[in-house]
Amino acid sequence: MVGGMATDEDRERLAGQLVALPVRELVDVLRRALPHFTEEAYGMRTALTLASVTYYEDEVEPGLNVELVAWPDRDYYDGDLGMNQGLWENGHCARCDIEVVSNAKRAFCPYCGSACGLT
């Protein structure tokens, strides 16, 4: 990077590194970066988070299902990132009243930080 600005080549190289990661490692990298983009102003809090979006082509009720990607509870997993699987664990953040998804059964809501139990 020159003068703090990334070039297209820098961004392409970084994107290539991110794409090469397994899902649980990509989530962990983004867990370290995205909270830095949280803003609070005028009584509002805006956070940049990762979401999983699924489109259902159901004939009766088609539509999108959006779930926030919850960060694995690394303390519970002894510093590890949880199961080496895709985002197959689903749950609900009781505090935010939002659906969450994770690769781990024990995770934290990416918006409020509350513990979420997933199944």
Side-chain angles (χ1 to χ4, degrees):
M1 289 194 310
V2 177
M5 298 293 291
T7 65
D8 283 340
E9 293 80 18
D10 293 333
R11 289 188 294 275
E12 190 63 34
R13 186 171 30 260
L14 179 57
Q17 291 172 330
L18 293 173
V19 168
L21 294 173
V23 169
R24 70 184 190 151
E25 291 182 27
L26 174 63
V27 168
D28 188 57
V29 169
L30 295 176
R31 174 191 63 83
R32 297 164 192 241
L34 293 179
H36 293 278
F37 296 93
T38 298
E39 296 179 3
E40 294 187 37
Y42 308 107
M44 297 183 301
R45 180 173 179 265
T46 302
L48 190 58
T49 64
L50 181 62
S52 176
V53 180
T54 304
Y55 178 74
Y56 293 97
E57 294 184 12
D58 187 297
E59 291 180 18
V60 177
E61 203 172 321
L64 291 176
N65 182 43
V66 179
E67 300 164 300
L68 296 185
V69 177
W71 316 128
D73 182 347
R74 295 195 65 176
D75 289 337
Y76 179 80
Y77 294 103
D78 294 324
D80 199 16
L81 301 173
M83 297 286 293
N84 189 15
Q85 64 179 2
L87 301 173
W88 294 107
E89 305 297 338
N90 300 87
H92 184 260
C93 175
R95 184 173 178 196
C96 292
D97 194 30
I98 188 85
E99 297 300 315
V100 295
V101 65
S102 181
N103 65 287
K105 289 189 178 289
R106 300 269 306 254
F108 294 106
C109 175
Y111 181 75
C112 73
S114 295
C116 301
L118 296 92
T119 59

